[in-house]
Amino acid sequence: MADLISILNSQYMKEEVPTANVGDTVRVTVRVKEGNRERNQAFEGIVIAKKHGGINETITVRRISYNVGCEKVFPLHSPSIVSIETIRRGKVRRAKLYYLRDRVGKAAKVKERL
């Protein structure tokens, strides 16, 4: 039974998983379907969490638009995700950056890793 599950999981996993670490600023391009049309929509923000592993691996991306914080959880192996590109690499010392939810403005910035 475990072999069957692992075979099914490996069948749907992407070969090249983009490297999006916690603290990085990323642009996630998602395929959006509206009626009978499809388009690509970008969501840019800071990765505040990575969870799970394998086929279930997800990243949580947070951004502030119009002074309102918005978080989205993206499954990395989803067929609706077109691309994930890293814009900035962040220098952080913890695995989850949930403390950024309480911060506003310059206090919510993450230092850049060179």
Side-chain angles (χ1 to χ4, degrees):
M1 186 68 176
D3 294 334
L4 182 63
I5 292 172
S6 64
I7 290 170
L8 284 172
N9 285 346
S10 63
Q11 183 180 2
Y12 290 106
M13 286 178 69
K14 293 182 179 177
E15 286 80 23
E16 292 184 21
V17 180
T19 57
N21 295 320
V22 176
D24 293 355
T25 302
V26 295
R27 182 179 294 125
V28 182
T29 308
V30 183
R31 189 174 295 116
V32 178
K33 190 169 186 179
E34 296 173 336
N36 57 356
R37 298 184 319 142
E38 277 192 4
R39 65 182 178 87
N40 293 339
Q41 183 174 7
F43 187 86
E44 186 175 327
I46 298 176
V47 177
I48 63 168
K50 281 181 80 169
K51 286 188 176 179
H52 313 298
I55 193 86
N56 299 324
E57 190 171 0
T58 62
I59 58 170
T60 304
V61 181
R62 177 179 175 82
R63 82 174 201 196
I64 303 210
S65 58
Y66 301 105
N67 293 327
V68 177
C70 178
E71 291 183 9
K72 284 190 178 182
V73 179
F74 295 103
L76 289 181
H77 296 283
S78 171
S80 64
I81 291 194
V82 178
S83 67
I84 298 176
E85 54 184 283
T86 304
I87 296 168
R88 262 178 100 230
R89 296 179 60 189
K91 181 181 178 186
V92 293
R93 295 174 63 178
R94 54 194 72 241
K96 305 284 191 270
L97 303 181
Y98 295 142
Y99 66 89
L100 290 179
R101 293 173 176 165
D102 301 327
R103 307 226 175 151
V104 186
K106 284 188 178 180
K109 283 190 175 182
V110 175
K111 289 184 180 177
E112 187 169 6
R113 183 173 24 163
L114 300 173

